[in-house]
Amino acid sequence: MPSDSFAPGRSTGTGGPLTVSASVTRGITGLSLWWLASPAAFVLASVVGLSSRDRDPFWELVSVVLLWSGIGGVVAAPAVGLLIAYRSRQRPARRRFAIMGAVSLAACALALLFWEFAMECAPGQTC
């Protein structure tokens, strides 16, 4: 009788190797690339938003889509990637997404701190 312990996509039940499907690997790679492309999306959103002085609705929409794509890459990509890596039991991917989340959290904290200082009134002015 053949053993099912080496069937693709199954674990042995005793901590044996677990094969990871190609779609999980592609998903992890895609989320990592989305996170890496987020700064470029922010820069492009600001360039498109500042250069469209005539307020063309198409370029306004492009700017908003790029901005939300960047925000989603910073916030959602590490969280979803960590969840997928945890469910598929991939330790290196878990470490990578945990580091990505920590870097994203630090960048968001610095952005909020900068925003707070940028919104302060200059000395002698009333707000």
Side-chain angles (χ1 to χ4, degrees):
M1 206 159 146
S3 172
D4 253 356
S5 64
F6 293 107
R10 293 187 177 183
S11 69
T12 59
T14 60
L18 179 72
T19 59
V20 179
S21 69
S23 63
V24 170
T25 305
R26 281 191 299 256
I28 288 173
T29 303
L31 287 169
S32 298
L33 290 175
W34 185 22
W35 183 79
L36 285 172
S38 294
F42 280 125
V43 169
L44 285 174
S46 64
V47 167
V48 169
L50 292 175
S51 67
S52 64
R53 295 184 184 193
D54 57 352
R55 299 293 181 211
D56 185 16
F58 174 73
W59 291 110
E60 290 272 333
L61 179 67
V62 168
S63 177
V64 168
V65 167
L66 284 170
L67 179 67
W68 282 106
S69 173
I71 290 172
V74 167
V75 175
V80 172
L82 189 61
L83 180 67
I84 290 172
Y86 180 74
R87 297 285 294 172
S88 63
R89 297 183 180 137
Q90 291 189 352
R91 289 184 74 106
R94 274 190 277 178
R95 274 188 239 119
R96 181 172 62 221
F97 283 114
I99 291 169
M100 287 165 56
V103 169
S104 293
L105 185 63
C108 289
L110 287 175
L112 288 174
L113 184 66
F114 174 74
W115 182 263
E116 183 66 31
F117 286 137
M119 291 295 121
E120 285 186 3
C121 295
Q125 291 183 350
T126 58
C127 295

